[in-house]
Amino acid sequence: MNAHFIGSIVYVHDDVYTASRIKELTVIDGQQRLTTLTLVYLVLHRLAKDLHNEGLVNEISETYLINKFSPEEEKLKLRPTDNNDRALKYLLRSDKTEEYSDFSKLIDNFNYFKGRITEENYQTVLKGLSKLMFVEVSLDREKDDPQRIFESLNSIGLELAQADLIRNYILMGLTRRDQNKIYQNYWEVIEKLAKDETLNVSRVSDFIRDYLTLENKNIPNKGKVYLEFKAKYPTTTLEELEQNLTGIKSLVKHYNKLINPKNETDRDIRLQLEYINRLEINVAYPFIMKVYDDYFNSIINKEIFLKVLDLIQTFTWRRFILGLGTNALNKIFMSLYDKVEHTNYLFSIQKSLLQRTGVQRFPKNAEVIDALKVKDVYNIKSKNRTYLLERLENFENKESVIIDGNQDITIEHIFPQNPDPKWKIELGVDEFNFIKENYVNTIGNLTLSGNNGKLSNKSFIDKRDLGGAGYRDSRLWLNRYLATLEKWDKVEIERRFDLISERVLKIWEIPNIVIEDKADTNEVNIFEAEDPKYKKLEYAVFFDQKIEVTQVAKLYVEVFRQLFELQPETFFTTDLGTKIGLTKQLTVGNPRQPIPINDTYYIEGNIDNIGKFDKIKLALITFNFEDELLIKYAEEQTTNA
């Protein structure tokens, strides 16, 4: 067998010794390889004990696993984070009667190797281990930059999670003692709480992303959370690091309950969190964490907190019914807390949401009902469908019916998806086809049943009167109206929808407050604006900043100037640059009318106002900034194109 090169092991040489004179080295690249090898040797160590091979036991133990004459807390040669450190010590004890209570991937990976290394092949494994080669690289903290070297190494290898990069960034510049302090008091708490406990999945990267969104009023790209964190918190003193981490740690306990509602002890709040979790309103987490913190610190009471949680659902659910884009929610929630007036808490949030227009608007009652009447709610996400039906059924109902996870209650089509031929005879061909094409999957034709299999595609009367299983014997609100009917046709579907719609407007009630109508400003999103031909502007609002422009041509230049300054690479990695004639090489006739957007680049300006609007819209779509540009036309218009 030839030697096998496994890469480099890079560590920081601090000339630091423990009390037992064991030198400690901080590994900055190769942790995973060292951990994997340690687990393999632990499995071989366990197997050698079972085979009573004391020579091999001692060789592995004293060569690869422990420092024999060190105090107990320093025995392990490999010193990972506390949780993994405990897991390694547990594995080393070989205590088969004791179960390891915490979750650790080390335990899972140990069991993986244990299932594959046997009495028959362990000699081959030992021989293979003896052939491994690596390069040892020692750094001096005073002369080298470990973090920069770590980033360089990570950029060419298997990419670490954003949370891992952030953790290393925080800890790498610290002494061992300070590392332990920061890890135990801050980072370990964050790692423990920012975890989806149902799926046993770390959500630290997502949490830090939400926290940075709240702080910077800008949502980091998922792959650039570490870079945003590093820019926000440059390496600093231990005291400043603790201060920064204190702010992050203060919100993670609320984040834990957002992703694990079961951890909220208050029943009423837990129910609202479960609803929000079911709707997956993750974009609202930055805002909710701050409101949660205000409730935790008694700035607001429970009643206000519940009303805010309900308002978030109402706003997002109404928008979902209309099919309004979810992109707008990112911008709304990242800055919503800035609109909070602590002396008028709930009202200020209601006002901010109600004043929004265009694609960011809070849908009114009439448009919600018009959209819901014909919306296919059967084929939406099952979580959303369950949310709708469960809230409809349980409104003002003291005996709540749980649908989520309840195998005994399922969704029933009153007019079946595959109806019995009797339906066509009873309804007539035209009405039969109309219902099948327009209403079959709408809320007016859906209900809940514990006997879906028995009801199947039977006629309506058979479904109503089926002994012990029909609508007449159901205790559910959604079936109450059905129990009184003699037929099920278009008219009855629409009447039942009217009853349901009344309930919808009570459950997802729009705030009944009096505010100044912001629509009087006549600001409109550029995607909803009238044709700009022969029109002048009064001003525009781009990224919440007012731009004093009166001509479409000036707006055109300003938008592309800002976009190019913000993210120039997008102009070259998409066809946007070509579409607007972006160039720095001016030739005769190309561009026909060059307009500078900075000291180097020009775009084509020889297009009319409609063409300029079209190119602005194309750019906003390309950048995913459809909600960022509002315009206001001047009242007195010119006749110039």
Side-chain angles (χ1 to χ4, degrees), residues 330-355:
N330 296 330
K331 181 176 184 297
I332 292 168
F333 284 116
M334 93 172 111
S335 59
L336 184 56
Y337 190 78
D338 292 342
K339 309 296 192 298
V340 172
E341 300 168 13
H342 285 78
T343 56
N344 210 355
Y345 204 99
L346 178 64
F347 177 85
S348 63
I349 300 171
Q350 293 171 329
K351 180 179 71 171
S352 177
L353 294 178
L354 285 170
Q355 284 181 328

Side-chain angles (χ1 to χ4, degrees), residues 476-636:
L476 300 179
W477 178 86
L478 283 166
N479 292 328
R480 194 173 299 166
Y481 179 68
L482 302 177
T484 68
L485 302 181
E486 298 298 326
K487 60 180 179 177
W488 187 246
D489 56 12
K490 175 179 177 291
V491 171
E492 295 299 351
I493 292 175
E494 292 176 348
R495 283 177 180 168
R496 181 171 180 265
F497 174 76
D498 290 340
L499 289 173
I500 290 174
S501 65
E502 290 178 13
R503 204 167 176 92
V504 165
L505 296 181
K506 290 177 182 176
I507 297 170
W508 296 281
E509 184 177 19
I510 195 167
N512 183 22
I513 60 173
V514 178
I515 57 173
E516 177 186 349
D517 189 357
K518 193 176 181 181
D520 290 343
T521 64
N522 293 322
E523 291 177 4
V524 293
N525 185 285
I526 190 171
F527 286 89
E528 299 171 348
E530 295 178 2
D531 188 328
K533 195 172 184 180
Y534 307 127
K535 288 185 171 65
K536 292 186 72 173
L537 301 172
E538 185 172 327
Y539 62 84
V541 179
F542 195 36
F543 294 117
D544 286 333
Q545 299 297 315
K546 192 172 183 179
I547 307 174
E548 300 291 350
V549 289
T550 58
Q551 297 177 339
V552 172
K554 299 277 177 129
L555 176 66
Y556 177 68
V557 175
E558 182 61 22
V559 167
F560 280 105
R561 183 192 69 77
Q562 289 196 33
L563 290 177
F564 193 86
E565 183 179 317
L566 178 69
Q567 199 169 309
E569 62 269 18
T570 300
F571 287 82
F572 303 101
T573 56
T574 69
D575 63 357
L576 181 59
T578 303
K579 292 285 181 67
I580 63 173
L582 181 71
T583 183
K584 59 181 178 180
Q585 308 261 333
L586 294 180
T587 59
V588 177
N590 185 33
R592 291 169 296 175
Q593 183 184 329
I595 300 176
I597 58 172
N598 61 20
D599 293 339
T600 306
Y601 283 94
Y602 298 80
I603 60 174
E604 177 61 71
N606 189 28
I607 47 179
D608 62 16
N609 283 355
I610 295 176
K612 289 184 173 74
F613 260 41
D614 287 342
K615 292 190 185 303
I616 289 173
K617 291 176 186 176
L618 171 66
L620 295 175
I621 291 171
T622 303
F623 277 82
N624 200 20
F625 290 156
E626 293 97 322
D627 305 319
E628 300 294 349
L629 180 59
L630 304 176
I631 64 168
K632 182 181 180 185
Y633 285 125
E635 293 184 8
E636 294 182 9

Side-chain angles (χ1 to χ4, degrees), residues 186-200:
Y186 299 97
W187 195 255
E188 186 176 31
V189 176
I190 292 169
E191 285 186 332
K192 181 178 179 181
L193 294 177
K195 177 185 285 187
D196 184 324
E197 295 171 11
T198 301
L199 300 176
N200 207 9

